[in-house]
């Protein structure tokens, strides 16, 4: 007969994390991280979003190394405005990404930049936003975060 685990003062029976094959977490020690790879991998031994970043990096690396894995990149939102375009190009040109499914926003913002316009960061010190200045061709305001995205050839 299997040995029963002892109950705690509250009457709970605690599991053995080693027998349950759980991985321990460790503090993120930046003094031991010399590369971005080491930092991301160390984040995988933490909690919450840090762990998700580490786990995502492991999954992505496994997919990228598997020559039979057909990776479809799905994109949405203003990633061109966020200046991620060169990352996408590198992934496509290196053969990691085989196909893309995208929203229209990404295509529209890319077209804006391909025609010579630029996107600019909002200056949080501005008290008001004036979208009618000469040379400004578009203005988008997100009232919840008070961010603005403008396009201009200047």
């Amino acid at each position: 007969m299997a040995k029963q685990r002892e109950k705690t003062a509250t009457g709970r029976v605690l599991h053995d994390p080693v027998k349950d094959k759980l991985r321990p977490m460790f503090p993120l020690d930046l003094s031991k991280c010399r590369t971005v790879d080491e930092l991301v991998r160390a984040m995988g031994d933490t909690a919450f979003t840090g762990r998700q970043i580490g786990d995502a990096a492991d999954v992505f690396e496994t997919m990228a190394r598997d020559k039979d894995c057909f990776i479809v990149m799905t994109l949405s939102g203003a990633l061109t405005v966020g200046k991620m375009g060169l990352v996408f190009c590198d992934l496509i040109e290196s053969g990691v990404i085989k196909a893309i499914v995208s929203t229209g926003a990404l295509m529209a913002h890319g077209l804006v930049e391909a025609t010579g316009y630029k996107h600019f960061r909002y200056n949080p010190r501005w008290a008001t936003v004036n979208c009618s200045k000469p040379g400004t061709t578009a203005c988008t305001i997100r009232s919840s975060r008070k961010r603005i995205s403008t396009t201009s050839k200047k």
Side-chain angles (χ1 to χ4, degrees):
M1 182 177 268
K3 181 181 170 185
Q4 287 192 350
R5 295 183 184 166
E6 294 184 30
K7 291 184 179 182
T8 64
T10 61
R12 295 177 57 199
V13 175
L14 299 179
H15 287 258
D16 181 344
V18 175
K19 286 183 180 176
D20 289 342
K21 298 182 180 175
L22 299 178
R23 286 178 39 196
M25 292 189 293
F26 299 99
L28 183 58
D29 186 350
L30 295 179
S31 69
K32 294 181 180 177
C33 299
R34 300 284 179 237
T35 66
V36 173
D37 181 62
E38 289 175 357
L39 173 63
V40 170
R41 294 199 186 279
M43 291 172 77
D45 289 328
T46 65
F48 310 115
T49 305
R51 181 173 52 220
Q52 291 174 333
I53 290 170
D55 290 348
D58 290 340
V59 169
F60 184 70
E61 180 181 15
T62 301
M63 292 169 59
R65 290 183 185 278
D66 183 350
K67 299 299 178 198
D68 294 327
C69 185
F70 189 89
I71 301 175
V72 177
M73 178 182 267
T74 58
L75 306 170
S76 65
L79 294 169
T80 305
V81 175
K83 299 303 177 191
M84 297 291 115
L86 293 178
V87 174
F88 306 149
C89 290
D90 287 346
L91 292 170
I92 294 165
E93 289 172 359
S94 66
V96 173
I97 301 299
K98 306 292 192 282
I100 295 177
V101 176
S102 177
T103 62
L106 186 71
M107 298 300 157
H109 289 126
L111 180 62
V112 165
E113 291 196 356
T115 57
Y117 288 88
K118 296 185 184 319
H119 290 90
F120 296 90
R121 291 180 60 172
Y122 166 71
N123 184 342
R125 292 183 295 229
W126 289 357
T128 60
V129 177
N130 184 352
C131 295
S132 60
K133 289 183 179 180
T136 301
T137 58
C139 180
T140 307
I141 300 172
R142 288 191 215 153
S143 59
S144 63
R145 291 191 172 184
K146 296 189 178 184
R147 294 280 186 231
I148 184 172
S149 172
T150 64
T151 58
S152 174
K153 281 198 174 185
K154 292 184 178 180

